[in-house]
Amino acid sequence: MTKASGSCPNCGAPLEYRWSSSVQTVCEYCQSLVVRTDVDLKKVGVVADLPLDASPIQLLTEGHYGDKHFIVAGRILYEYEHGTWNEWHIVLDGGRDGWLSDAQNEFAVSFPVEVSNLPSPEQATLGRSFSWNNTRFTVVSRTRAHYAGVEGELPFEYWDKTDVTFVDLRSARMDFATLDYSDDTPVLYIGTLVDFDELRLTNVRTFEGW
Amino acid sequence: MPDGTGRPRAAVQAVNCPNCGAATAVRTFGHAVNVVCQSCRSILDAKDPGVTILQKYKEAVPVDPLIPLGTRGTIPGWQPAFEVVGFQVRQILVDEVAYRWREYLLFNPYHGFRYLTEYGGHWNVVATLRSLPDGDHLPGDSGIRTYQGQDYRHFQTATATTVFVLGEFPWQVRVGDQVAVVDYVAPSQLLSAEVNADKEVTWSLGVYAKGKDIWSGLSMPGQPPVVEGVFADQPSPYQGVSGRMWRQAALLMALAAIVWIAHLFTARQQQAFRQALVYNPPSTQDASLVTPVFELDGRASAVQVETASNLANQWMDVGYALINNDTGQAFEFAEDLSYYNGVDGGEAWSEGSPAASFTLPSVPAGRYFLRIEPEGERTGKPVGYTVTVVRDVATSVWFLGALMLIVLPPLMTSFRAAAFERRRWQESDHATGKSSDTDKDDDDE
Amino acid sequence: MSKVYVVYGLIVIGLMGTAQYRGWRLMPVNETRTVPKSVRDNPGSYRPVYGGFWHVSGGK
């Protein structure tokens, strides 16, 4: 891949990829979505201003997942019938990528998991259970959502606005799983639900009056 | 332009109602989906308030929330501060009677949302569950659900209707919305499931709280609403008390038994006097007599006077006075003796008893004699009888009385605890002995 | 609350022990009075308090 710093292909401003795993970033000056390939930096679109949202997390917020420290590198804001939620792209010390999801201040950290024979969207019905990683997960919600904005650096190219299906699963303990049907091949993310206090966040967003 | 290291501080917003023009504060920084105009109570689209009115009130009776919107403070069981941002009144219909309760939506920009529910002065602090109870993802309408190792018993299944809303909500609200609600209890907790039309289930857990704790955490003036009745997850004031008292009762009864047995062993049961006498009924002379003087020694204690006769198909009343020879103090009592027997068609029968005894309490030491006056049928046979005086007899009546007194308080506590639980379950789907059932039985007969 | 109960129980046992020791009776025998010494010479002159006998059903 191209190196970590260069110029925005649209406006020429200095552009930097802070994290080696990042594929996509947003030019701060012209709001272009820039994707880096083996050869060069390519503009793939323009990102609009993010709608008003209430996440207490922001880019460069730092936190902890268990004993591992992480930093927030980017985000995807999703919109669905009943509102929005955020998927914050986090990078743990050591370089591993993960996702911190924030849906009305209910937080979960999850990581992509390689599992074969994932169910199709039609198969993952409400109340149905699946077993992955020796844990029994039950489908608790199915959501049709589309992306409403991106920010910062992401580990893949993402800016498509078409509706995709997400299936959320929970266990009897604090396990959390999501089936992401954005691509042709579904992707499974597995992790845990976490409390705001457990994340031990620093550099969080500030709110008037709080 | 922010470089990602710090976005501008999120600001409190206000919206202007397209219906009446009044301004209403929006306190949840982008969470709100609906906001209710504080003046005309139209429900507005918080994402697009200038244009879209989602529902208008017609005639709803306005309710003033006891805890005003914007109140901020701490709630029992949670450390961060929360602010009241929404309020709704919901109701269920049971046997065509509407039961209304109030819900307050609380918000903290970092910790999210909580709820306070209030009914009849009973409060619950509620948070939605993130992990699931064991078993089926849909709630049933009976039995037990287990969550994190704790069993919860089914209390009620009902359809809840929203009848009033105020403030803002991170979901769509409409007056008239209906949702199935299933409650399970394990006092002091309430496990609740709400099932919407799409069969999506939201589980939440409520913890019972007292009004005064809510009031002090939120620095509310005045008094919280008065408590009425027993609420589903209200902790019993007798919890644990019953078991403890019964354990203490067992120890007390053992101690009483030891004291009683010691008494049985130390009572001297000493014969102080015995005399054989004869009573001759036909004799016209005065039958009263006095015995020789005898000694009752030791401490003041019980004295037992036994009368043993050879009565056969006769009765005899004996009047006694135990008289202190020195002080003249007299203890009076009487024995009515009768004894009849025979053989009737091959079976022997008997009635009454030819012997009796009487116990005098706390007779002080001293020299005593008995004055005895027998009386019987004029035509009766002579009766031989023996009078025996026993000093310092043992008695069990106090031991039995003490056992009863010891058992009484734990028994009363157990009754009260059971009565409390009956009152709790009277409000549930599983109330015992509904009066309508008995009426029906009567009609069927 | 249950400390009160234990104290109550101990008082009950204390009273029980005293009653047994001192020969108390549950319902007082309210028949005590002073009689003159002459009753030994003339038992017939003594009149019980009640006109007839104070009847107590006999039996242990």
Side-chain angles (χ1 to χ4, degrees), chain B residues 244-245 248-249 252 255-256 259-260 263 286 288-293 299-302 304 306 317 319 321 323 325-336 356-359 361-362 369 371 373 375 395 398-399 402 405-406 409-410, chain C residues 1-3 5-37 39-50 52-60:
Chain B
R244 196 167 57 233
M245 282 184 91
Q248 288 166 337
L252 287 170
L255 182 61
V259 173
W260 172 60
H263 163 69
D286 174 18
S288 63
L289 60 103
V290 290
T291 67
V293 176
R299 66 180 195 281
S301 62
Q304 182 180 289
E306 282 176 25
D317 294 342
I323 301 168
N325 194 41
D326 303 311
T327 70
Q329 190 186 31
F331 300 86
E332 283 190 15
F333 61 99
E335 300 279 32
D336 299 350
S357 73
F358 191 90
T359 306
S362 284
F369 61 92
R371 178 199 173 265
E373 186 175 343
E375 188 189 341
T395 168
W398 294 106
F399 174 59
L405 285 178
I406 287 170
Chain C
M1 156 90 186
S2 66
K3 279 209 175 72
Y5 173 60
V6 171
V7 169
Y8 158 86
L10 292 175
I11 291 174
V12 164
I13 291 173
L15 285 175
M16 173 196 91
T18 309
Q20 288 173 162
Y21 185 73
R22 310 281 303 172
W24 291 355
R25 191 186 157 97
L26 207 51
M27 285 165 304
V29 175
N30 47 358
E31 272 354 293
T32 63
R33 61 170 186 168
T34 312
V35 303
K37 294 226 186 265
V39 73
R40 281 199 67 80
D41 305 317
N42 187 5
S45 67
Y46 176 89
R47 278 287 158 256
V49 171
Y50 299 105
F53 291 109
W54 178 45
H55 288 248
V56 171
S57 44
K60 274 198 181 329

Side-chain angles (χ1 to χ4, degrees), chain B residues 37-184:
Chain B
C37 172
Q38 50 106 351
S39 174
C40 71
R41 293 192 309 282
S42 299
I43 299 181
L44 312 174
D45 184 339
K47 305 291 184 190
D48 192 13
V51 176
T52 318
I53 296 173
L54 301 168
Q55 188 182 39
K56 263 201 212 166
Y57 267 80
K58 290 182 285 265
E59 78 279 34
V61 177
V63 178
D64 246 347
L66 281 174
I67 306 175
L69 299 183
T71 303
R72 202 187 279 200
T74 56
I75 49 176
W78 298 96
Q79 198 243 338
F82 285 88
E83 181 173 320
V84 178
V85 299
F87 172 75
Q88 57 176 342
V89 179
R90 298 208 280 168
Q91 75 179 29
I92 57 173
L93 287 179
V94 178
D95 293 340
E96 289 166 35
V97 178
Y99 296 88
R100 291 193 168 178
W101 72 93
R102 288 145 290 281
E103 296 185 6
Y104 298 83
L105 180 64
L106 305 170
F107 172 71
N108 173 296
Y110 301 100
H111 293 87
F113 293 93
R114 305 284 182 272
Y115 308 81
L116 285 179
T117 62
E118 182 265 315
Y119 176 78
H122 303 278
W123 296 84
N124 262 273
V125 180
V126 183
T128 51
L129 287 188
R130 311 247 13 241
S131 52
L132 297 173
D134 299 353
D136 199 41
H137 93 292
L138 281 174
D141 55 7
S142 61
I144 293 179
R145 295 302 294 256
T146 309
Y147 174 68
Q148 310 223 317
Q150 169 72 53
D151 284 346
Y152 297 80
R153 281 177 62 193
H154 179 265
F155 192 85
Q156 186 171 69
T157 297
T159 304
T161 308
T162 306
V163 298
F164 184 80
V165 289
L166 212 56
E168 61 200 84
F169 299 87
W171 64 82
Q172 299 283 345
V173 291
R174 303 284 186 275
V175 171
D177 273 350
Q178 293 204 322
V179 67
V181 180
V182 186
D183 291 333
Y184 297 82

Side-chain angles (χ1 to χ4, degrees), chain A residues 175-194:
Chain A
D175 306 289
F176 169 81
T178 302
L179 283 162
D180 182 338
Y181 294 101
S182 311
D183 293 330
D184 297 326
T185 46
V187 183
L188 173 67
Y189 296 85
I190 290 184
T192 52
L193 308 168
V194 290

